Amino acid sequence: RRLFKDNLFEGKKVFVTGGATGMGFGFAKAFLEHGADVIIASRKEENLVKAATDMEKQTGKTLHWKTMDVRDSGTVNEVANYIKDTWGHIDVLVNCAGINIEKRDWDNIDENEWDQVIQTNINGLFYCCKAVIPFMKDKKDKSIDAKTYKFDTLSLHAGYQPHKNAGSRQVPIYQTTSYLFDDVDHAAALFNLE
């Protein structure tokens, strides 16, 4: 039994980053099943092709896709412009792209891996919001209403789940980036006050 009517998102345009696997794929499927047009983006073309094939088998619907690396603002802007040229707007942005690292305790954290987490989970979120918010705001129905925080951007940090065996010394990267992420998420909403 479904909780929501099948056509809840009929005609809506949804962009899911990190949508080829995991939670991103799940979000893409849920939006498709409820009537939305969905495009996913991820780094690995083989994962995107598999996701689109699997989605068509599971739902009978077309899942659009583009390769994109959220760490690279250039590729993010290319995909955003493609979506704008193809659909004219985006109704919902789901930020699901995220990574984590194996050695998360302060004694063993690798600076390069730390940089990759920040670049993907924080900067990637910023690049995606910055690329699509202008044409989300331009929509006549005002998808974004910053005063009430009705903000059609779901921001998830899939890479932030601490390992089940993580001790107190192994979660600093989770806690630190989670707090940073929360700040960036609120800042993204406030960004639209102007």
Side-chain angles (χ1 to χ4, degrees):
R1 185 170 175 260
R2 292 186 185 222
L3 293 175
F4 305 104
K5 59 184 181 178
D6 289 342
N7 63 347
L8 182 64
F9 292 101
E10 191 71 40
K12 297 295 185 184
K13 310 301 185 188
V14 178
F15 177 29
V16 183
T17 70
T21 59
M23 289 190 304
F25 183 83
F27 274 106
K29 183 178 180 183
F31 278 110
L32 272 175
E33 288 176 335
H34 289 89
D37 294 312
V38 180
I39 185 167
I40 61 171
S42 190
R43 289 179 294 162
K44 297 179 181 174
E45 184 172 341
E46 61 271 20
N47 289 350
L48 291 161
V49 171
K50 182 179 184 320
T53 303
D54 291 349
M55 192 69 76
E56 188 162 359
K57 287 178 186 172
Q58 293 174 25
T59 68
K61 299 183 181 211
T62 301
L63 179 63
H64 305 278
W65 60 268
K66 282 286 187 187
T67 54
M68 181 185 84
D69 186 345
V70 296
R71 300 171 300 180
D72 178 354
S73 62
T75 66
V76 171
N77 288 325
E78 285 174 17
V79 172
N81 288 330
Y82 168 82
I83 295 169
K84 184 176 183 181
D85 293 343
T86 304
W87 285 345
H89 69 278
I90 295 174
D91 295 292
V92 181
L93 168 62
V94 184
N95 284 302
C96 260
I99 63 170
N100 206 340
I101 57 177
E102 181 98 12
K103 297 176 182 177
R104 292 177 288 240
D105 63 277
W106 290 116
D107 295 336
N108 296 307
I109 225 168
D110 179 82
E111 289 181 23
N112 291 327
E113 289 181 333
W114 170 263
D115 288 341
Q116 289 300 311
V117 169
I118 296 300
Q119 188 65 19
T120 303
N121 298 359
I122 304 297
N123 294 351
L125 166 71
F126 169 73
Y127 297 150
C128 292
C129 289
K130 188 172 188 323
V132 303
I133 283 174
F135 60 99
M136 286 178 81
K137 283 175 62 176
D138 286 343
K139 272 196 68 198
K140 291 188 173 43
D141 68 359
K142 296 296 181 194
S143 295
I144 298 171
D145 179 358
K147 290 180 183 171
T148 60
Y149 288 91
K150 179 184 172 285
F151 191 75
D152 290 345
T153 300
L154 297 176
S155 298
L156 302 172
H157 41 300
Y160 289 149
Q161 299 305 315
H163 189 273
K164 63 183 178 180
N165 297 324
S168 61
R169 292 177 7 159
Q170 293 180 310
V171 295
I173 192 167
Y174 166 77
Q175 292 172 338
T176 304
T177 54
S178 185
Y179 291 132
L180 285 171
F181 184 91
D182 288 342
D183 286 345
V184 169
D185 194 28
H186 293 302
L190 294 173
F191 177 80
N192 295 285
L193 286 174
E194 294 298 321

